[in-house]
Amino acid sequence: GAGVSQSPSNKVTEKGKDVELRCDPISGHTALYWYRQRLGQGLEFLIYFQGNSAPDKSGLPSDRFSAERTGESVSTLTIQRTQQEDSAVYLCASSSPMGTYGYTFGSGTRLTVV
Amino acid sequence: DQQVKQNSPSLSVQEGRISILNCDYTNSMFDYFLWYKKYPAEGPTFLISISSIKDKNEDGRFTVFLNKSAKHLSLHIVPSQPGDSAVYFCAASVRISGSARQLTFGSGTQLTVLP
């Protein structure tokens, strides 16, 4: 597609439920990143996928968080047993392998845990 | 340990005046720096960048300055316009393997341009 697409744009869930967030990167972008932004805070790195290499999961805050990516396409971020502190905007970005230095971000998924 | 710091969470400037947003970094391996702009309910969008081999890059009303010895960069917007009101993120890039790069972001500065 023309840009990075994320769905849903908004999600309200009850504490303790599982949620799944989706990201469609730009076609041909081999690198895909998940970040989150909690209210009043900066962008917090969560996980990074590069081609078929093992993902860099160093930013995942707990084992309730996991992410999958099939090849160089769609990625899903799953949060199990959601907690109120998981409320944030979850941003996905992708980047080209051809030496560009920046990311293209999606519009994010605003997750609210009540 | 924050490798990229934006120490001013907010900045207000009068329309037509200069806006100066600052960013400091600690990792000397960073070799490319970017500024992103974010409006509410939208993802960050790329604004301007600079390579570590340069000390200035200009694009219209936006200029980024890099002081490598001080590990400091700044974004100047002149003249500032109300439409510039947004959160500005500083980001630093490092090569991690092959052509793969990773960005580290600052916490952002909310710029408000007053009409």
Side-chain angles (χ1 to χ4, degrees), chain B residues 82-97:
Chain B
D84 297 330
S85 297
V87 177
Y88 289 79
F89 289 100
C90 169
S93 174
V94 63
R95 188 163 67 96
I96 49 178
S97 66

Side-chain angles (χ1 to χ4, degrees), chain A residues 10 17 19-20 24 34 36 38 41 45 54-55 57 64 77 81 96 105 107 111-112 114:
Chain A
N10 279 286
K17 294 283 179 72
V19 295
E20 192 172 276
D24 272 287
W34 283 97
R36 74 175 175 183
R38 291 195 271 195
Q41 298 186 21
F45 168 74
K57 302 180 181 180
R64 297 186 295 104
L77 176 69
R81 306 180 302 281
S96 160
F105 281 88
S107 298
L111 175 67
T112 305
V114 297

Side-chain angles (χ1 to χ4, degrees), chain B:
Chain B
D1 176 34
Q2 276 190 287
Q3 296 189 60
V4 179
K5 294 181 184 178
Q6 292 177 257
N7 290 317
S8 297
S10 63
L11 174 69
S12 291
V13 170
Q14 209 67 36
E15 180 178 5
R17 307 295 280 266
I18 185 170
S19 296
I20 300 177
L21 296 97
N22 293 302
C23 179
D24 296 289
Y25 62 96
T26 57
N27 187 347
S28 57
M29 297 300 291
F30 291 138
D31 62 357
Y32 202 82
F33 303 89
L34 306 92
W35 285 93
Y36 281 78
K37 178 177 176 180
K38 184 180 185 301
Y39 292 117
E42 295 182 13
T45 56
F46 170 75
L47 185 59
I48 192 169
S49 62
I50 188 167
S51 164
S52 61
I53 62 173
K54 296 188 174 182
D55 55 17
K56 177 182 175 181
N57 187 28
E58 191 172 352
D59 182 4
R61 297 185 298 112
F62 302 90
T63 303
V64 55
F65 295 92
L66 175 63
N67 182 335
K68 276 186 67 178
S69 60
K71 294 191 175 68
H72 177 84
L73 66 156
S74 60
L75 173 68
H76 292 208
I77 307 172
V78 56
S80 302
Q81 300 173 354
D84 297 330
S85 297
V87 177
Y88 289 79
F89 289 100
C90 169
S93 174
V94 63
R95 188 163 67 96
I96 49 178
S97 66
S99 61
R101 289 187 154 265
Q102 188 159 355
L103 291 182
T104 302
F105 287 86
S107 54
T109 296
Q110 170 70 57
L111 173 67
T112 303
V113 180
L114 304 167

Side-chain angles (χ1 to χ4, degrees), chain A:
Chain A
V4 177
S5 176
Q6 289 188 248
S7 61
S9 54
N10 279 286
K11 175 73 177 178
V12 180
T13 189
E14 289 181 356
K15 179 180 170 181
K17 294 283 179 72
D18 297 352
V19 295
E20 192 172 276
L21 313 180
R22 178 188 168 105
C23 173
D24 272 287
I26 292 173
S27 178
H29 279 192
T30 56
L32 186 148
Y33 310 82
W34 283 97
Y35 285 81
R36 74 175 175 183
Q37 184 182 19
R38 291 195 271 195
L39 189 64
Q41 298 186 21
L43 297 177
E44 177 186 3
F45 168 74
L46 296 177
I47 188 169
Y48 158 64
F49 295 90
Q50 173 63 45
N52 294 317
S53 303
D56 175 358
K57 302 180 181 180
S58 60
L60 294 179
S62 77
D63 59 7
R64 297 186 295 104
F65 287 73
S66 62
E68 300 286 333
R69 188 182 187 195
T70 307
E72 295 181 357
S73 62
V74 171
S75 175
T76 54
L77 176 69
T78 302
I79 309 172
Q80 295 178 307
R81 306 180 302 281
T82 51
Q83 304 294 313
Q84 288 187 326
E85 65 262 26
D86 300 334
S87 297
V89 175
Y90 288 82
L91 290 159
C92 175
S94 67
S95 68
S96 160
M98 299 307 292
T100 59
Y101 291 75
Y103 303 169
T104 301
F105 281 88
S107 298
T109 294
R110 180 175 296 278
L111 175 67
T112 305
V113 182
V114 297

